[in-house]
Amino acid sequence: MVIQWYPGHMAKAKRQVTEQLKKVDVVFELVDARIPYSSRNPMIDEVIQQKPRVVILNKKDMANLAELEKWATYFEEQGFYPVAVDAKHGKNLKQVEQAAIKATEEKFARERSKGLKPRAIRAMIVGIPNVGKSTLINKLANRAIAKTGNTPGVTKQQQWIKIGKSLQLLDTPGILWPKFEDQLVGKKLSITGAIKDSIVHLDEVAIYGLEFLREHDYDNLVKHYNVDVSQDDDNIAWFEAIGRRRGLLQRGNEVDYEAVIELIINEIRNAKIGTYTFDIFSEIERDYLD
Ligand code: G4P
């Protein structure tokens, strides 16, 4: 999905989410498990404020599980309830309801002590485009409800979907914008497919991905492409070797760099080479977190 974000557009999206938040007991903040920092909306804490929050790290199937645990611990320390899921294949989804129960325990205990009748927990999903909001809603509901490609600003009648024994989920997710200001974050958003029409040049995205894999998964990378390139060879040498091995050539037997760039981005984006978490917790903690 391609969404162009403009200041007025962002303000409207924020207003809409803020309005919807009034209807729910708990927020499901959905992030991409490969970039648990970079795929968060920059104003998310200001938007959600003190409302109980379950942080859902989606696309677990494409992430590094050791890093995922570190991120889960971090979110727990922030007072949130993290769960890692694979919405596409319907994995770990039961944990979402369990986390929602835990996150709202205090609130419902207070309601009970005031003599209020027990009722279902109300929740909504919030996140930047392409983190899997619609996929998750459809899987949780067990039917196609949310259209992938929902755009903010489109108003429709919102409905509650019953999930499990104790949960009601708003069928329309809140869509907020990604972080734009940081080049590295932009590359991570692009290499994971959160931003498809890149705000960063695609050659830079491919180089970023290639360098990440060279540093973190060299053996697997050379095996995957069946190339004989050393870790220290420059990017051109890598593009050349991969292009020739895959037959991505143009007139004059020259390597078609654009095709190589596209190939590398697609294969990393779809976890064809390996499963990676690009937001390495120790690096993000050092460079970005307070
Ligand atoms: P959104 O509502 O947040 O914008 O995201 P959406 O559900 O449209 O999902 C964006 C893409 O991410 C979709 O792929 C979807 O299949 C994929 N996806 C969602 N959750 C997961 C997950 O847990 N694991 C994996 N591997 N993929 C996930 P697409 O390429 O746009 O469509 P399609 O190829 O699946 O048809």
Side-chain angles (χ1 to χ4, degrees):
M1 170 179 44
V2 178
I3 300 181
Q4 303 294 345
W5 294 98
Y6 298 105
H9 200 169
M10 293 181 189
K12 185 168 179 188
K14 185 178 171 216
R15 241 187 351 261
Q16 277 181 344
V17 172
T18 307
E19 203 49 43
Q20 285 180 319
L21 280 173
K22 292 181 190 156
K23 302 179 192 162
V24 304
D25 305 298
V26 56
V27 182
F28 296 159
E29 182 193 349
L30 198 56
V31 300
D32 187 319
R34 296 169 293 176
I35 45 171
Y37 168 79
S38 303
S39 61
R40 301 183 83 193
N41 167 265
M43 292 176 77
I44 195 72
D45 291 340
E46 195 183 307
V47 175
I48 298 182
Q49 299 196 358
Q50 297 308 312
K51 185 88 64 181
R53 193 183 323 181
V54 173
V55 176
I56 303 179
L57 298 126
N58 188 37
K59 311 199 184 185
K60 178 185 177 184
D61 54 309
M62 298 200 281
N64 175 298
L65 298 183
E67 280 297 321
L68 206 52
E69 271 184 37
K70 292 181 197 164
W71 279 105
T73 305
Y74 164 75
F75 286 122
E76 235 166 54
E77 284 166 5
Q78 300 292 303
F80 309 143
Y81 294 81
V83 288
V85 306
D86 164 3
K88 185 167 180 168
H89 307 99
K91 301 262 165 70
N92 287 27
L93 296 188
K94 290 240 156 59
Q95 289 181 18
V96 173
E97 187 186 355
Q98 288 157 9
I101 294 172
K102 274 199 217 137
T104 55
E105 230 160 28
E106 266 181 41
K107 175 172 183 173
F108 282 96
R110 271 200 310 276
E111 289 200 358
R112 269 198 310 277
S113 71
K114 286 185 196 154
L116 292 172
K117 267 204 295 199
R119 59 173 178 86
I121 303 167
R122 294 196 197 107
M124 73 174 289
I125 292 177
V126 171
I128 67 165
N130 292 314
V131 287
K133 297 179 296 300
S134 314
T135 307
L136 180 64
I137 292 175
N138 293 339
K139 277 287 176 192
L140 284 172
N142 248 331
R143 60 204 147 102
I145 287 178
K147 269 203 218 100
T148 46
N150 261 332
T151 41
V154 176
T155 41
K156 65 161 196 169
Q157 194 62 39
Q158 291 171 353
Q159 279 168 3
W160 296 101
I161 320 161
K162 192 171 182 309
I163 293 166
K165 286 199 174 76
S166 50
L167 196 61
Q168 279 188 341
L169 181 67
L170 210 54
D171 68 349
T172 320
I175 307 174
L176 294 170
W177 60 95
K179 299 183 167 88
F180 292 118
E181 64 290 346
D182 184 306
Q183 280 282 311
L184 179 58
V185 167
K187 289 176 197 170
K188 290 175 177 179
L189 288 166
S190 181
I191 201 80
T192 55
I195 295 180
K196 281 170 188 158
D197 62 331
S198 185
I199 46 169
V200 184
H201 290 298
L202 290 183
D203 53 349
E204 288 179 30
V205 175
I207 288 171
Y208 163 74
L210 196 57
E211 287 181 346
F212 185 95
L213 267 60
R214 275 160 62 180
E215 186 182 342
H216 296 282
D217 203 18
Y218 171 78
D219 291 347
N220 190 31
L221 180 65
V222 286
K223 200 166 135 221
H224 177 83
Y225 285 115
N226 191 18
V227 288
D228 185 16
V229 192
S230 98
Q231 203 156 5
D232 303 326
D233 279 333
D234 63 12
N235 292 313
I236 300 292
W238 281 88
F239 281 6
E240 281 286 333
I242 293 170
R244 296 212 175 271
R245 183 62 76 189
R246 291 291 179 98
L248 301 173
L249 303 173
Q250 50 192 6
R251 246 186 300 135
N253 206 28
E254 299 282 326
V255 166
D256 180 347
Y257 281 84
E258 263 179 46
V260 177
I261 285 165
E262 197 179 320
L263 173 83
I264 291 172
I265 293 177
N266 275 330
E267 295 203 326
I268 297 178
R269 196 176 267 177
N270 297 312
K272 297 275 190 256
I273 309 174
T275 51
Y276 307 105
T277 290
F278 299 96
D279 279 344
I280 294 174
F281 181 73
S282 59
E283 290 177 6
I284 298 291
E285 189 182 37
R286 181 193 64 210
D287 298 338
Y288 295 98
L289 305 176
D290 319 320

